[in-house]
Amino acid sequence: GVRTLVYAESQRCHYRLNNPWEQPPGRIGDYLRPFTIPPQQYIEATRAHLVSMIGVVKPCRILHETTPFLRLEGRRACLLAAQAHLRATETIADTVIPLVDFRGWHGGYFHWFLDFLPRVLVAERHQHQNGGAVRLLVAERLSAWQMESLDRLGHPVDSLLPYKSRTGGSTIIRCRSLLAAASHRHQHESEAPFDAISPIHLKQLAERLGSPEHSRTAAGMPRRVFVS
């Protein structure tokens, strides 16, 4: 089955700018006008399949939350749904949340921090409220800054679940439970002028990534500045 869960309630807010006149003229109104953030949601699907990193749930439902900013056209969606009926090449007896995208957008700095890294907070919240481990499915090869950002959030490399694609055939992963969370503008068409999962979660990410207790900038660890 599939159920929709809320990880951030609706709230009224507005941006605070030190100098709004330094903003592009066409965006000043967006930043100065109060707006409402609708409830931010994620999906939990039991006995789901990941085919080409797209969540597929029988009977043939595509979880578009695993494909930010993209709605699959009918032919490709039907093909992926059909592949989900093939024998799974791997079974994961845990709850999984993917930090990967079949187009490779997870490898970009911007999309990693605004689209994929906030899913870590979704996973942590789900684990806290429901118990049981939530595994982070990541690309087989992560960049140094990706590994460092996950490590700062308390998820070292040895705790991650690397995705290894098969040569000569499709990789079909059957999960006990699959969590899927989309960026804001993929979920809603609202007045809120932001793209990421939630400003609330971006603020939490900024606080945790910059926190001294999570900072590991000792010898041998490069110093980095994370900017959103």
Side-chain angles (χ1 to χ4, degrees), residues 167-189:
T167 56
S170 299
T171 299
I172 304 173
I173 302 175
R174 187 177 190 271
C175 311
R176 183 182 70 83
S177 180
L178 173 68
L179 303 183
S183 345
H184 173 83
R185 70 179 178 187
H186 189 75
Q187 289 193 59
H188 307 281
E189 293 182 2

Side-chain angles (χ1 to χ4, degrees), residues 17 19-31:
L17 301 177
N19 188 349
W21 307 115
E22 291 182 352
Q23 305 302 317
R27 299 298 300 274
I28 293 178
D30 291 337
Y31 286 116

